[in-house]
Amino acid sequence: MNADLSEILRLLQNLIRLGTIAEVDGVKARVKLGPKLTTQWLNWITPRAGSTRTWSSPTVGEQVVVLSPGGDLTRGTIMPALYSEEFDTPESSHTVHTTHYPDGAVVQYDHAAHALTATLPGGTATVTADKVTSNAPSTICTGDLTVMKNLIVMQSTTIQGATTLNGGVNAKAGAAGGVAMAVQGTIKATVDVLAGAISLAKHPHGNVKAGGDQSGGPLP
């Protein structure tokens, strides 16, 4: 009778156990439940595992809960996760949803401030799509902007820094007409400037006279 009671108590104790991740291998992990007890390789619970799938591998030392049907640890499932002394809370605000990564990257949304931020310690951010649309009334790029193909500007654009255009510029006045391009400053051309068929560097003049008289206009 005492032996049966001890077994029942052991199984009840093993229904829900706290532990820390001891090893991770592929899609399974082992959990350290005490000084002398480590589970077999167990699956961990993930938010979605169907046609929509999520993936976030647990970390060695991360505190978790092991749920074992019938108290059988060999059939246990790992449920992440609990904050611990080794891995403390990354934030304290109740309005912030955030993910912190081991390399220092942070993705965060503060619903009180309506602010979405992604901080990457170097590296790259890549978006692959047929079309990307930004409906923001104002977009600011504080670093260099490189456009590998055509840049089509439909309305007024302000660029604060120097701009290098390797593929040429085709400026066209709007539907209402007017000036296609206005420059406040000096234009330097290393080859030539054309106004219609008239070359600025090589155009001849008609009605040329000697003395102080002015020549005629440039000839095409």
Side-chain angles (χ1 to χ4, degrees):
M1 183 65 180
N2 289 335
D4 293 340
L5 181 59
S6 297
E7 178 62 13
I8 291 173
L9 292 175
R10 185 186 69 82
L11 294 175
L12 288 174
Q13 183 185 24
N14 286 339
L15 286 173
I16 303 175
R17 295 287 300 266
L18 298 180
T20 57
I21 298 294
E23 298 178 74
V24 180
D25 185 12
V27 298
K28 293 190 176 185
R30 300 180 68 193
V31 180
K32 184 178 181 181
L33 301 176
K36 298 181 180 180
L37 179 59
T38 300
T39 68
Q40 298 181 11
W41 293 103
L42 305 176
N43 292 315
W44 61 79
I45 296 174
T46 183
R48 296 295 302 275
S51 57
T52 298
R53 291 166 288 172
T54 59
W55 172 259
S56 182
S57 176
T59 304
V60 172
E62 183 176 3
Q63 187 166 254
V64 296
V65 179
V66 177
L67 306 177
S68 303
D72 183 2
L73 290 175
T74 62
R75 298 190 296 134
T77 303
I78 303 169
M79 184 176 70
L82 301 171
Y83 295 121
S84 62
E85 185 175 339
E86 183 175 357
F87 298 107
D88 200 359
T89 56
E91 304 287 342
S92 60
S93 172
H94 297 294
T95 67
V96 168
H97 179 270
T98 184
T99 302
H100 289 233
Y101 295 91
D103 64 347
V106 178
V107 179
Q108 178 173 286
Y109 180 68
D110 186 338
H111 63 81
H114 312 295
L116 174 65
T117 58
T119 303
L120 306 179
T124 60
T126 303
V127 177
T128 302
D130 291 336
K131 184 178 181 180
V132 177
T133 301
S134 172
N135 291 321
S138 176
T139 301
I140 299 173
C141 177
T142 60
D144 294 337
L145 176 64
T146 301
V147 179
M148 302 304 294
K149 291 189 177 180
N150 298 331
L151 175 64
I152 301 173
V153 180
M154 305 301 294
Q155 295 185 15
S156 174
T157 300
T158 301
I159 301 175
Q160 298 290 351
T163 303
T164 301
L165 302 172
N166 293 320
V169 179
N170 185 0
K172 182 179 180 181
V179 178
M181 180 181 293
V183 179
Q184 286 80 39
T186 302
I187 296 178
K188 294 181 66 175
T190 59
V191 179
D192 202 350
V193 175
L194 298 177
I198 299 175
S199 165
L200 179 62
K202 303 175 182 178
H203 66 270
H205 286 259
N207 300 320
V208 179
K209 297 180 181 179
D213 292 340
Q214 295 183 350
S215 67
L219 300 174

